[in-house]
Structure formats: structure tokens, C-alpha cells
Amino acid sequence: MKLAETGLTKEQIKEKVSKYMIDTYERFDFIAETAKDMYVYDENGEAYLDFYAGIAVNSAGNCNEKVVAAIQDQAKDVIHTFNYPYTIPQALLAEKICTTIGMDKIYFQNSGTEANEAMIKMARKYGVEKYGPNKYNIVTAKMSFHGRTFGSMSAIG
């Protein structure tokens, strides 16, 4: 959505964010209006090199034609499902990832914090099964960020 299409000013958008959203981090002083590949463009068309990749969630770049086409194609069938039914794209992607990087199995997550939660659970399970009850350690970096769930927050050094 473009700022010009809303009838609002940049300051009014910032006021709405301030009024209706919890302030969890300091924002940059621009509106990310469009994006293409490794750039995000503000309301004036100025380009910013995107080093964040959606905070390590969307590292495929912005609006890559192949990614957009794949999303549009899949959205016509199923946009999202839970993990209980089988899905063809999930099975084929899992195979491609495993055979490409040499893994036996993978686990799909929709966010970094959920991936960290899964790894904490897997590490605990491995430690208990291999070494016995209460025999596991989770090692993290000081002043680190692992997500906003209680488990991930407890991993912050």
C-alpha cells in the first residue's frame, strides 16, 4: 500500500503506530513502501539496502519474480495449513533441502523464535535420552536475541 493512496501523512502513520502498537524497538524514520530484490524503497522512492532479510525470515529478497510467481501459484491452492496433513510442496521441498545440503531430515518452522524453541526441545530430548534425566545444557551468547517466547527469552545470555 502506498502512502499517497491512504490520504494520510507520514506523521499520521507514525502516530497510529505509536498509538496502536506496542513499542518493542526503535524504528527507522521512513515508511517501507515497496521493495525489490535487496532494496526497500521509502515513500519518496529512496532505496535502502536491506541487510535484515525480514529479521532473517525472508532471505530470498523482496519481490523476486520467481518467488512472487511461486507464492501466487500456491496461494490459489492452499495458503497455509497445519502440520498434520501431508502437503505436496512440503514433501518436495523437504526432499530438495535434504538432498542439497546433505541432511537426513529437517523441521519446518514459521519463525526464528519457533525454530529456537524446537532446537531447545530437541537438545533437551537428546540430552535426556543419551545421558539421563536433567543431563542437558543449552549454550547461548551473552547479550543475544533468540526470540520473544518465554523459552527463547530464557536463552538470552
Side-chain angles (χ1 to χ4, degrees):
M1 178 178 287
K2 309 279 191 293
L3 181 63
E5 297 167 356
T6 68
L8 300 170
T9 66
K10 176 181 174 180
E11 290 306 314
Q12 289 172 314
I13 294 295
K14 289 169 63 176
E15 288 170 11
K16 288 181 184 301
V17 169
S18 179
K19 181 176 180 178
Y20 297 111
M21 295 182 71
I22 295 170
D23 187 18
T24 56
Y25 41 81
E26 186 176 344
R27 292 180 181 266
F28 298 132
D29 193 28
F30 71 91
I31 295 173
E33 202 171 69
T34 60
K36 179 72 175 132
D37 298 325
M38 77 281 291
Y39 293 99
V40 174
Y41 297 88
D42 71 10
E43 68 281 4
N44 299 313
E46 186 172 340
Y48 297 83
L49 187 57
D50 182 5
F51 284 104
Y52 288 92
I55 310 296
V57 172
N58 177 23
S59 59
N62 286 291
C63 303
N64 175 288
E65 285 86 6
K66 290 181 180 179
V67 174
V68 169
I71 291 169
Q72 288 174 334
D73 184 55
Q74 182 59 43
K76 289 184 262 177
D77 295 326
V78 176
I79 293 175
H80 178 267
T81 187
F82 45 97
N83 282 330
Y84 293 111
Y86 294 96
T87 67
I88 295 166
Q90 188 180 59
L92 296 177
L93 180 60
E95 177 187 38
K96 185 171 187 170
I97 291 170
C98 286
T99 58
T100 300
I101 64 175
M103 299 295 291
D104 293 327
K105 292 185 176 197
I106 61 168
Y107 184 70
F108 289 115
Q109 287 299 143
N110 71 341
S111 74
T113 193
E114 288 185 349
N116 287 330
E117 289 281 336
M119 291 310 301
I120 290 168
K121 290 174 186 174
M122 283 191 248
R124 290 178 66 169
K125 180 177 176 19
Y126 176 83
V128 168
E129 288 179 357
K130 184 156 177 93
Y131 302 107
N134 301 316
K135 297 291 185 177
Y136 58 86
N137 289 308
I138 308 293
V139 179
T140 63
K142 290 183 179 179
M143 302 299 291
S144 57
F145 178 76
H146 302 288
R148 292 184 177 89
T149 61
F150 282 117
S152 291
M153 287 190 305
S154 68
I156 295 172

